Short mmCIF file of all heavy atoms in Angstrom, two decimals:
data_model
loop_
_atom_site.label_atom_id
_atom_site.label_comp_id
_atom_site.label_asym_id
_atom_site.label_seq_id
_atom_site.Cartn_x
_atom_site.Cartn_y
_atom_site.Cartn_z
N GLY A 1 10.21 -3.55 -15.09
CA GLY A 1 10.68 -4.86 -15.50
C GLY A 1 11.92 -4.77 -16.34
O GLY A 1 12.60 -3.74 -16.39
N LEU A 2 12.22 -5.87 -17.00
CA LEU A 2 13.40 -6.00 -17.85
C LEU A 2 12.97 -5.98 -19.30
O LEU A 2 12.05 -6.71 -19.69
CB LEU A 2 14.15 -7.29 -17.52
CG LEU A 2 15.35 -7.64 -18.39
CD1 LEU A 2 16.46 -6.61 -18.22
CD2 LEU A 2 15.85 -9.04 -18.04
N VAL A 3 13.64 -5.16 -20.10
CA VAL A 3 13.31 -5.05 -21.51
C VAL A 3 14.60 -4.88 -22.31
O VAL A 3 15.58 -4.33 -21.81
CB VAL A 3 12.34 -3.87 -21.75
CG1 VAL A 3 13.01 -2.55 -21.42
CG2 VAL A 3 11.82 -3.87 -23.18
N GLN A 4 14.60 -5.35 -23.54
CA GLN A 4 15.75 -5.19 -24.41
C GLN A 4 15.82 -3.77 -24.96
O GLN A 4 14.80 -3.09 -25.09
CB GLN A 4 15.70 -6.19 -25.56
CG GLN A 4 15.81 -7.64 -25.16
CD GLN A 4 15.81 -8.58 -26.35
OE1 GLN A 4 16.09 -8.17 -27.48
NE2 GLN A 4 15.50 -9.84 -26.11
N ALA A 5 17.02 -3.34 -25.28
CA ALA A 5 17.19 -2.03 -25.90
C ALA A 5 16.32 -1.91 -27.14
O ALA A 5 16.24 -2.84 -27.94
CB ALA A 5 18.66 -1.80 -26.25
N GLY A 6 15.69 -0.76 -27.29
CA GLY A 6 14.78 -0.54 -28.39
C GLY A 6 13.35 -0.95 -28.11
O GLY A 6 12.46 -0.65 -28.91
N GLY A 7 13.13 -1.60 -27.00
CA GLY A 7 11.81 -2.06 -26.64
C GLY A 7 10.96 -0.99 -25.99
O GLY A 7 11.37 0.16 -25.84
N SER A 8 9.77 -1.40 -25.57
CA SER A 8 8.80 -0.49 -24.98
C SER A 8 8.32 -1.02 -23.64
O SER A 8 8.32 -2.22 -23.39
CB SER A 8 7.61 -0.30 -25.91
OG SER A 8 7.99 0.25 -27.14
N LEU A 9 7.89 -0.10 -22.81
CA LEU A 9 7.38 -0.44 -21.50
C LEU A 9 6.45 0.68 -21.05
O LEU A 9 6.69 1.85 -21.38
CB LEU A 9 8.53 -0.59 -20.51
CG LEU A 9 8.35 -1.41 -19.24
CD1 LEU A 9 8.02 -2.86 -19.57
CD2 LEU A 9 9.61 -1.34 -18.39
N THR A 10 5.40 0.34 -20.32
CA THR A 10 4.49 1.34 -19.80
C THR A 10 4.40 1.22 -18.28
O THR A 10 4.15 0.14 -17.75
CB THR A 10 3.08 1.18 -20.41
OG1 THR A 10 3.15 1.37 -21.82
CG2 THR A 10 2.13 2.23 -19.83
N LEU A 11 4.61 2.33 -17.62
CA LEU A 11 4.48 2.40 -16.17
C LEU A 11 3.13 3.02 -15.82
O LEU A 11 2.60 3.85 -16.55
CB LEU A 11 5.59 3.25 -15.56
CG LEU A 11 7.04 2.87 -15.88
CD1 LEU A 11 7.99 3.81 -15.15
CD2 LEU A 11 7.31 1.43 -15.52
N SER A 12 2.59 2.63 -14.69
CA SER A 12 1.39 3.25 -14.18
C SER A 12 1.57 3.57 -12.71
O SER A 12 2.33 2.90 -11.99
CB SER A 12 0.16 2.37 -14.39
OG SER A 12 0.24 1.18 -13.62
N CYS A 13 0.88 4.59 -12.28
CA CYS A 13 0.91 5.00 -10.88
C CYS A 13 -0.47 5.49 -10.49
O CYS A 13 -0.98 6.44 -11.10
CB CYS A 13 1.96 6.09 -10.65
SG CYS A 13 1.96 6.73 -8.96
N ALA A 14 -1.05 4.86 -9.50
CA ALA A 14 -2.32 5.29 -8.95
C ALA A 14 -2.06 5.95 -7.61
O ALA A 14 -1.51 5.32 -6.70
CB ALA A 14 -3.27 4.12 -8.79
N ALA A 15 -2.42 7.21 -7.50
CA ALA A 15 -2.20 7.97 -6.28
C ALA A 15 -3.51 8.12 -5.51
O ALA A 15 -4.55 8.43 -6.09
CB ALA A 15 -1.63 9.34 -6.60
N SER A 16 -3.45 7.88 -4.23
CA SER A 16 -4.60 8.09 -3.36
C SER A 16 -4.19 9.02 -2.23
O SER A 16 -3.06 8.97 -1.75
CB SER A 16 -5.12 6.76 -2.82
OG SER A 16 -4.14 6.10 -2.04
N ILE A 17 -5.13 9.85 -1.82
CA ILE A 17 -4.81 10.84 -0.81
C ILE A 17 -5.92 10.97 0.22
O ILE A 17 -7.06 10.59 -0.01
CB ILE A 17 -4.57 12.24 -1.43
CG1 ILE A 17 -5.86 12.77 -2.07
CG2 ILE A 17 -3.44 12.19 -2.46
CD1 ILE A 17 -5.78 14.22 -2.50
N SER A 18 -5.56 11.49 1.35
CA SER A 18 -6.51 11.97 2.33
C SER A 18 -6.11 13.39 2.68
O SER A 18 -4.92 13.68 2.89
CB SER A 18 -6.52 11.08 3.58
OG SER A 18 -5.24 11.04 4.19
N SER A 19 -7.07 14.28 2.71
CA SER A 19 -6.90 15.70 3.05
C SER A 19 -6.34 16.53 1.89
O SER A 19 -6.87 17.60 1.60
CB SER A 19 -6.01 15.88 4.28
OG SER A 19 -6.57 15.25 5.41
N PHE A 20 -5.29 16.05 1.24
CA PHE A 20 -4.66 16.82 0.18
C PHE A 20 -5.36 16.66 -1.17
O PHE A 20 -6.03 15.66 -1.42
CB PHE A 20 -3.20 16.39 0.01
CG PHE A 20 -2.27 16.89 1.07
CD1 PHE A 20 -0.96 16.43 1.11
CD2 PHE A 20 -2.68 17.78 2.03
CE1 PHE A 20 -0.09 16.88 2.08
CE2 PHE A 20 -1.83 18.24 3.02
CZ PHE A 20 -0.52 17.77 3.03
N SER A 21 -5.18 17.65 -2.02
CA SER A 21 -5.56 17.59 -3.42
C SER A 21 -4.29 17.46 -4.26
O SER A 21 -3.32 18.17 -4.00
CB SER A 21 -6.34 18.83 -3.85
OG SER A 21 -7.56 18.93 -3.15
N ILE A 22 -4.30 16.57 -5.24
CA ILE A 22 -3.13 16.34 -6.08
C ILE A 22 -3.18 17.24 -7.30
O ILE A 22 -4.12 17.20 -8.07
CB ILE A 22 -3.04 14.87 -6.49
CG1 ILE A 22 -2.86 13.98 -5.26
CG2 ILE A 22 -1.88 14.66 -7.47
CD1 ILE A 22 -2.88 12.50 -5.55
N ASN A 23 -2.13 18.03 -7.46
CA ASN A 23 -2.02 18.94 -8.60
C ASN A 23 -1.23 18.32 -9.75
O ASN A 23 -1.62 18.45 -10.91
CB ASN A 23 -1.36 20.25 -8.17
CG ASN A 23 -1.15 21.20 -9.34
OD1 ASN A 23 -2.09 21.50 -10.08
ND2 ASN A 23 0.08 21.68 -9.49
N THR A 24 -0.14 17.66 -9.42
CA THR A 24 0.78 17.16 -10.43
C THR A 24 1.14 15.71 -10.16
O THR A 24 1.36 15.32 -9.00
CB THR A 24 2.06 18.01 -10.46
OG1 THR A 24 1.72 19.36 -10.74
CG2 THR A 24 3.04 17.50 -11.51
N LEU A 25 1.20 14.91 -11.21
CA LEU A 25 1.64 13.52 -11.14
C LEU A 25 2.76 13.29 -12.14
O LEU A 25 2.82 13.95 -13.18
CB LEU A 25 0.50 12.56 -11.45
CG LEU A 25 -0.62 12.42 -10.41
CD1 LEU A 25 -1.77 11.63 -11.01
CD2 LEU A 25 -0.09 11.72 -9.16
N GLY A 26 3.61 12.33 -11.85
CA GLY A 26 4.65 11.99 -12.80
C GLY A 26 5.67 11.04 -12.23
O GLY A 26 5.39 10.32 -11.28
N TRP A 27 6.85 11.05 -12.84
CA TRP A 27 7.93 10.18 -12.43
C TRP A 27 9.26 10.91 -12.35
O TRP A 27 9.57 11.76 -13.20
CB TRP A 27 8.11 9.00 -13.41
CG TRP A 27 7.17 7.87 -13.18
CD1 TRP A 27 7.39 6.74 -12.45
CD2 TRP A 27 5.84 7.77 -13.71
NE1 TRP A 27 6.28 5.94 -12.48
CE2 TRP A 27 5.32 6.54 -13.25
CE3 TRP A 27 5.05 8.57 -14.52
CZ2 TRP A 27 4.02 6.11 -13.57
CZ3 TRP A 27 3.77 8.15 -14.84
CH2 TRP A 27 3.28 6.94 -14.36
N TYR A 28 10.01 10.57 -11.35
CA TYR A 28 11.43 10.82 -11.29
C TYR A 28 12.13 9.47 -11.44
O TYR A 28 11.50 8.41 -11.32
CB TYR A 28 11.83 11.46 -9.96
CG TYR A 28 11.55 12.94 -9.86
CD1 TYR A 28 10.25 13.43 -9.88
CD2 TYR A 28 12.59 13.85 -9.74
CE1 TYR A 28 9.99 14.79 -9.79
CE2 TYR A 28 12.35 15.21 -9.64
CZ TYR A 28 11.04 15.67 -9.66
OH TYR A 28 10.79 17.03 -9.56
N ARG A 29 13.42 9.50 -11.69
CA ARG A 29 14.19 8.26 -11.72
C ARG A 29 15.54 8.49 -11.07
O ARG A 29 16.06 9.60 -11.04
CB ARG A 29 14.35 7.73 -13.15
CG ARG A 29 15.23 8.57 -14.06
CD ARG A 29 15.21 8.00 -15.48
NE ARG A 29 16.04 8.78 -16.39
CZ ARG A 29 16.08 8.59 -17.70
NH1 ARG A 29 15.33 7.64 -18.26
NH2 ARG A 29 16.87 9.34 -18.46
N GLN A 30 16.09 7.40 -10.57
CA GLN A 30 17.40 7.46 -9.93
C GLN A 30 18.19 6.21 -10.27
O GLN A 30 17.74 5.09 -10.00
CB GLN A 30 17.27 7.61 -8.42
CG GLN A 30 18.58 7.87 -7.72
CD GLN A 30 18.40 8.46 -6.34
OE1 GLN A 30 17.34 8.34 -5.74
NE2 GLN A 30 19.44 9.11 -5.84
N ALA A 31 19.32 6.41 -10.89
CA ALA A 31 20.24 5.33 -11.22
C ALA A 31 21.36 5.30 -10.20
O ALA A 31 21.66 6.32 -9.56
CB ALA A 31 20.80 5.52 -12.63
N PRO A 32 22.01 4.16 -10.03
CA PRO A 32 23.11 4.06 -9.06
C PRO A 32 24.18 5.11 -9.31
O PRO A 32 24.64 5.29 -10.43
CB PRO A 32 23.65 2.65 -9.29
CG PRO A 32 22.49 1.88 -9.81
CD PRO A 32 21.74 2.86 -10.68
#
């Protein structure tokens, strides 16, 4: 979302799989 400088925000990610086991979770980011 949109937040002012100095503010806070929390992201969440729920991963679901078939066949695979998940070892690592996290975030990457990409700016223009």
Side-chain angles (χ1 to χ4, degrees):
L2 175 65
V3 65
Q4 296 182 20
S8 300
L9 202 61
T10 298
L11 306 181
S12 66
C13 175
S16 62
I17 65 170
S18 59
S19 300
F20 285 172
S21 296
I22 297 175
N23 177 53
T24 301
L25 289 169
W27 278 266
Y28 281 65
R29 68 185 180 188
Q30 188 161 21

